[in-house]
Amino acid sequence: MTITTAKWALDDYHCMIEVGLLESRHVELLNGEIIEMPPEGEPHAYYRTEAKDYLKELLGTRVKIREAAPITIPNSASEPEPDIAIVQPLGREYLQHHPYPENVFWLIEFSNTSLAKDLDIKRKAYATAFIPEYWVMNLKTRQLNVFRDPVDGNYASESTLTAGEIRPLAFQDVVVSVQRLLEG
């Protein structure tokens, strides 16, 4: 016997949110499936907040930095909630829709218990949507995994950093200290 799971469309997911069906659940939509998100521990919240503040110092008003807020990927029926999304500063336009892939400069996840999901399902969803850059901060090993150049549903370039500096693809004039991200 083959088991088939029911997939949810973005409109269905938004209806569930509107009527309060998901109100007490911390979930996100990935590839048409509603995925439970683990509770956020103190280290996760700390590093995410510190990184957001640091990136805001570096990037100023050139971007909008969204924390734990959805982005919408229509082609895969996904509405993930990356820990940090560095997006175009479109102001009130985001009252009408969450950022789409073409509005995203890059995404960052801070992983403690969700590392497997972040390195596999989310990485592929972001690459399929042609999000140019995706960083995963592994909080257990204190490593920054950098994925760039989406091709055929995956990233062609992958590197792991524990020190040094990195320049985001969209902002080559900005130098980000890997040490600062890893230490908070």
Side-chain angles (χ1 to χ4, degrees), residues 77-144:
S78 295
E79 204 160 85
E81 296 186 17
D83 290 320
I84 295 179
I86 298 90
V87 301
Q88 295 171 339
L90 300 180
R92 296 182 65 79
E93 186 171 327
Y94 293 133
L95 285 171
Q96 307 303 315
H97 65 84
H98 297 302
Y100 294 124
E102 60 268 21
N103 305 128
V104 176
F105 294 116
W106 89 93
L107 301 174
I108 304 173
E109 294 285 358
F110 293 84
S111 294
N112 204 3
T113 60
S114 63
L115 186 63
K117 177 179 75 168
D118 293 338
L119 291 177
D120 184 34
I121 298 168
K122 281 195 169 184
R123 185 190 83 236
K124 290 175 183 172
Y126 297 152
T128 300
F130 296 100
I131 292 171
E133 187 163 13
Y134 173 49
W135 298 0
V136 178
M137 299 286 298
N138 183 331
L139 296 178
K140 290 182 180 175
T141 62
R142 296 285 189 262
Q143 294 177 322
L144 174 63

Side-chain angles (χ1 to χ4, degrees), residues 4-10 12 16 29-34 76-77:
T4 305
T5 57
K7 298 286 186 174
W8 298 98
L10 280 167
D12 298 331
M16 286 186 250
L29 185 68
L30 285 172
N31 303 314
E33 296 181 2
I34 299 172
S76 67

